[in-house]
Amino acid sequence: ETGVTQSPTHLIKTRGQQVTLRCSSQSGHNTVSWYQQALGQGPQFIFQYYREEENGRGNFPPRFSGLQFPNYSSELNVNALELDDSALYLCASSSMGRGEQYFGPGTRLTVT
Amino acid sequence: QQPVQSPQAVILREGEDAVINCSSSKALYSVHWYRQKHGEAPVFLMILLKGGEQKGHEKISASFNEKKQQSSLYLTASQLSYSGTYFCGTGANFGNEKLTFGTGTRLTIIP
């Protein structure tokens, strides 16, 4: 069974730029959730994708957007990067109706 | 609103027991527990559902008081590998939980 993978591992961007983060869900899972984790804090829910549609969104502005593909992998896009966007971005995959979510290793984004 | 965890931090000797609490101001359907080591992703430990169903780790147990909107995680005979930050995540609906994570409890196990 293949676990959740994310790419890239680390990324450094300049304020105002755009970034795309990628996540491959665990085999057999059809739902992907994205979380932002600032240093010393718990993860914060950004949004969730199920069957290629957004299935709920947290308190994040529209410049945070996403996609899910037919193979259930997903992308998180952030436009007009701000310094406060610096964080660990985690994706978690799950099976709709099962409950438990499994996290990938994360992408550490630094905005300068 | 973010669930509140207590204690914020605890230091134990190997073999001792620990209890970590998670309290929410909202009605809950599920409570999820994760352990995160420094620089790593959160690792799923356990999920507790309204109605009493539990799924998770063999050596870790937990309780869920639906009326009080509280959950507790019990770590018995702690091992060095139990060190890390423990987070509870709460969900309002089954199956498509958008988890709201707690403030975290840092657990350090010393030999």
Side-chain angles (χ1 to χ4, degrees):
Chain A
E1 188 177 84
T2 309
V4 182
T5 60
Q6 291 187 243
S7 62
T9 307
H10 295 87
L11 206 50
I12 300 175
K13 289 285 189 177
T14 303
R15 190 171 51 184
Q17 286 187 315
Q18 177 265 341
V19 68
T20 297
L21 310 181
R22 294 178 176 82
C23 170
S24 291
S25 59
Q26 185 168 308
S27 175
H29 287 177
N30 55 19
T31 303
V32 173
S33 303
W34 285 92
Y35 294 84
Q36 180 195 66
Q37 186 175 27
L39 208 57
Q41 305 291 320
Q44 266 198 295
F45 175 74
I46 303 174
F47 43 56
Q48 183 182 84
Y49 277 84
Y50 171 61
R51 290 185 176 176
E52 302 175 54
E53 298 279 336
E54 189 180 286
N55 185 45
R57 188 179 185 91
N59 190 25
F60 281 81
R63 60 189 185 84
F64 285 78
S65 62
L67 283 173
Q68 187 180 33
F69 301 100
N71 66 354
Y72 306 122
S73 66
S74 177
E75 285 183 356
L76 164 65
N77 299 290
V78 187
N79 293 322
L81 284 166
E82 301 177 0
L83 297 178
D84 283 349
D85 295 334
S86 295
L88 180 68
Y89 288 84
L90 296 160
C91 75
S93 81
S94 56
S95 261
M96 183 59 71
R98 287 290 304 273
E100 59 265 42
Q101 299 183 19
Y102 295 90
F103 283 87
T107 294
R108 173 74 60 189
L109 173 65
T110 303
V111 182
T112 61
Chain B
Q1 197 164 1
Q2 190 178 30
V4 176
Q5 290 182 231
S6 62
Q8 288 186 328
V10 59
I11 300 174
L12 296 175
R13 290 201 177 276
E14 204 173 359
E16 291 182 334
D17 299 341
V19 180
I20 299 172
N21 302 301
C22 173
S23 182
S24 173
S25 58
K26 290 185 174 181
L28 303 176
Y29 183 89
S30 64
V31 180
H32 305 229
W33 285 96
Y34 290 84
R35 175 173 58 221
Q36 186 174 30
K37 294 184 182 285
H38 183 69
E40 298 181 10
V43 173
F44 172 77
L45 296 176
M46 176 163 287
I47 180 173
L48 302 104
L49 305 177
K50 189 175 181 178
E53 185 181 352
Q54 296 186 16
K55 293 187 266 185
H57 204 282
E58 289 181 0
K59 296 185 180 180
I60 294 172
S61 63
S63 64
F64 179 20
N65 186 324
E66 298 163 25
K67 287 184 180 177
K68 292 187 177 180
Q69 292 145 204
Q70 293 175 345
S71 177
S72 294
L73 185 70
Y74 305 97
L75 305 169
T76 56
S78 56
Q79 305 169 17
L80 294 175
S81 62
Y82 286 9
S83 291
T85 301
Y86 288 76
F87 291 102
C88 66
T90 58
N93 303 293
F94 178 67
N96 61 349
E97 291 94 340
K98 293 87 175 172
L99 298 180
T100 302
F101 281 89
T103 48
T105 296
R106 183 186 291 265
L107 176 65
T108 304
I109 309 295
I110 57 176

